[in-house]
Amino acid sequence: IEVLICTGTGGIASGSLKVAEAFEEEFKKHGIEAKVGKRCEVKKTGCRGLCANDVLVDIMVPGKEGVTYDFVTPELVPQIVEEHIVGGEPVPKKTAGAYYAKFLEKQHRTIFSRCGHIDAESIDDYIANHGFKGIKRAVTMKPEEVIEEVKKSGLRGRGGGGFPTGVKWSFAKGSPGELKYLICNADEGDPGAFMDRSLLEGDPYCIIEGMMVAAYAIGCTYGYVYVRAEYPLAIKRLQMAIDTCVERGILGDNCMGLGFKFNLRIKAGAGAFVCGEETALMASIEGHRGMSRPRPPFPAVRGLWGKPTNINNVETYANVTYILERGADWYASIGTEGTKGTKIFAVTGKVKHTGLVEVPAGVTMREVLYDVCGGILNNRKFKAVQAGGPSGGCLPVEAIDAQVDYDSLIKAGAMMGSGGLVVMDETTCMVDIARFFLTFTRRESCGKCIPCRIGLKIMLEILERICSGEGREGDIELLEDMAYDIKKSSLCGLGQTAPNPVLSTIRYFRHEYEAHIKEKE
Ligand code: SF4
């Protein structure tokens, strides 16, 4: 019998370690194994998505369907053990309601399939659940064939840009040079986004495996995982996983005895949003202040310490592991023409069930918010969803049937970004939302180029005066002009996308700006 307990950051914050202790004590105190005639094991897993209902506990009895309990406290544990594990009947009214089954039913859990089911710290559990099959298959192919396989899968970078991953790899492979670097960008900085953190906490070996595949294909001998320091549990579990891989010869000078060299280390970032931009990230690894630099040269040609470098994010490498294990055709059969595979979203704000959701690309925003997340909190009216983080855009009710894929979201005025969805209801002021996101990006601007450093400051001043009832005639047009200029002339992605929340709220909610300005008159 297995007791699976969520010990991701959300679970721990809700007291899951105490719940785990309570199960272990109860097992010992009552000699449970002797009583039920089966081995009972408490497994500390990663996040399973429905974070708002932590602590989540699954009781897995062989031959029976697993039962999930939510909002579990240490006080409830003796009853679960006595009635369910010993007595064989789930505790009435304490199991997760029908919404939990619905929450899972509409999803397509692939990349996230091991999170919440395996012991995140156990390499043996990873191996027992198809671990390292992807890299074992990869090394039966030539490096060029691995790149072709990734191209054929249609995988696009999950960090936000959506650039085809296989094409990116071929650039780095084609760059001359003996020494090449591989980087995993785990500097997840969007407010409300925690997909990468959960993957690192719940399935760290999967990310290492995806990086090994990339290293083999491109010819990189050294790799870095750049993780924000605000993710201490992700760093701890990843370091533990790297150390175990080194001990077992999975990483090192002859990875798994398969004849290629790859060493991996973690670099903890100091929490600057701009370090999610790849040139600023590399500057930070090199020990400089995290500031962007002009491209070209692109990292594939001149990256970390001037050497050819490939950078992908956490979710992209996780996808690679599954593509190599199951094949490009399997992967390409999921999703839409332009966006293959699944996408993990972090849904926060005014929905009934917040948390992490993995859906095939191409489902609609309505399906994500209503079918999976249960609709709007307190049965209020949906007003908008901010897709793509502070660099994305707000989609109104008219766009709720937009498909969730790279191209459809851009057409609707937002972007996939890394996968943050912040939901707003009818009580939300959209001008205030624009001000909130611009406050964030202005504060995070590295200050290197004038359009972003000064332009965002002035845009924020205009928004602040509109919000405080001091708006002037012509302010909306001024905001639009400045937004387009900043987008065109900023040096890096932060400045090029920071005005998006302002532009999309003006596009869909202009009347709210006008009402604020009119209030004054
Ligand atoms: Fe720095 Fe902003 Fe310019 Fe990027 S756009 S280099 S964040 S000032």
Side-chain angles (χ1 to χ4, degrees), residues 274 292 444-449 452-453 490-496:
V274 73
S292 306
E444 294 294 336
S445 162
C446 80
K448 186 169 182 173
C449 66
C452 172
R453 184 179 74 232
S490 288
L491 180 60
C492 82
L494 192 154
Q496 287 158 9

Side-chain angles (χ1 to χ4, degrees), residues 121-127 132 205 241-252 254-257:
E121 295 181 7
S122 163
I123 192 169
D124 295 326
D125 226 8
Y126 181 69
I127 293 169
F132 298 114
Y205 291 101
I242 291 173
D243 292 345
T244 308
C245 285
V246 172
E247 269 164 34
R248 297 209 183 182
I250 292 167
L251 288 171
N254 183 10
C255 293
M256 302 174 91

Side-chain angles (χ1 to χ4, degrees), residues 82-116:
E82 194 51 44
E83 294 182 24
H84 191 159
I85 295 181
V86 179
E89 286 302 322
V91 180
K93 295 192 182 153
K94 297 293 180 188
T95 56
Y99 65 85
Y100 186 62
K102 217 176 156 199
F103 178 77
L104 293 176
E105 184 194 321
K106 294 279 178 176
Q107 297 189 47
H108 195 297
R109 293 215 162 196
T110 307
I111 308 310
F112 217 32
S113 59
R114 272 186 289 247
C115 284

Side-chain angles (χ1 to χ4, degrees), residues 141-214:
M141 302 154 85
K142 289 188 188 135
E144 296 76 13
E145 290 170 345
V146 174
I147 294 179
E148 279 312 307
E149 182 83 348
V150 176
K151 280 186 190 169
K152 198 173 145 202
S153 74
L155 174 64
R156 293 171 67 174
R158 295 298 195 246
F163 193 79
T165 304
V167 176
K168 195 173 192 180
W169 289 12
S170 61
F171 292 156
K173 178 154 188 68
S175 284
E178 280 297 298
L179 180 60
K180 293 179 184 176
Y181 289 105
L182 190 78
I183 295 175
C184 175
N185 183 348
D187 192 56
E188 186 176 49
D190 291 3
F194 51 102
M195 302 77 57
D196 293 350
R197 191 198 73 206
S198 295
L199 280 170
L200 287 169
E201 288 176 359
D203 198 6
Y205 291 101
C206 179
I207 314 306
I208 295 174
E209 186 177 348
M211 290 188 77
M212 287 173 74
V213 171

